[in-house]
Amino acid sequence: MKPEIDDGDVSSKAGTGGTEGLDAWRALQKATDKKRADILADIVGHPEGMPSVEELDYMNPPLSEDAIRRHLQELVDVGVVQERAFEAGNRLRDYPYKFYELTDAARDLFDRNGLFPEDAWQRQYQAVEKTARIREIETMPRPES
């Protein structure tokens, strides 16, 4: 038996956040897995709301970059996260060019269900001591929507 989920009318929100709709049950199922939830918390807490895999790797030391990429792909597949990338001519050498953010539909779904509150996760993210490299990446420009 599935628990009741306040999914509003998410499935009819074509085009929000780059998805053709969001299956609230599948999205919440994927998002509440412990490792993916940690990644989502770091996305929500990131100062730009759009971290790179390198930043997520720093914030999640038990996971490899490959594992983070796999989890991100699962979240992309269900419409919770979207990837943004700089075009080839706009990339900076030795810096990330792909970044990840919540879709609008996922943010709406999480807000209605009291998940991943931005203020709390931003405070948590800021409290983590970071290397000079990570601080530098945090402040670099992000691709436009």
Side-chain angles (χ1 to χ4, degrees), residues 52-111:
S52 64
V53 169
E54 186 173 347
E55 291 166 289
L56 292 170
D57 180 53
Y58 182 82
M59 298 297 286
N60 296 277
L63 298 176
S64 68
E65 283 191 15
D66 285 341
I68 290 169
R69 283 186 183 90
R70 283 192 306 274
H71 287 299
L72 286 168
Q73 189 57 56
E74 286 191 55
L75 293 167
V76 167
D77 290 346
V78 296
V80 170
V81 169
Q82 62 189 351
E83 181 181 277
R84 298 244 186 242
F86 284 114
E87 297 295 325
N90 295 328
R91 296 176 185 170
L92 299 173
R93 177 180 266 199
D94 298 326
Y95 285 93
Y97 65 92
K98 288 184 181 178
F99 302 88
Y100 298 86
E101 67 180 345
L102 288 185
T103 62
D104 292 340
R107 180 73 272 165
D108 290 345
L109 176 65
F110 295 157
D111 286 348

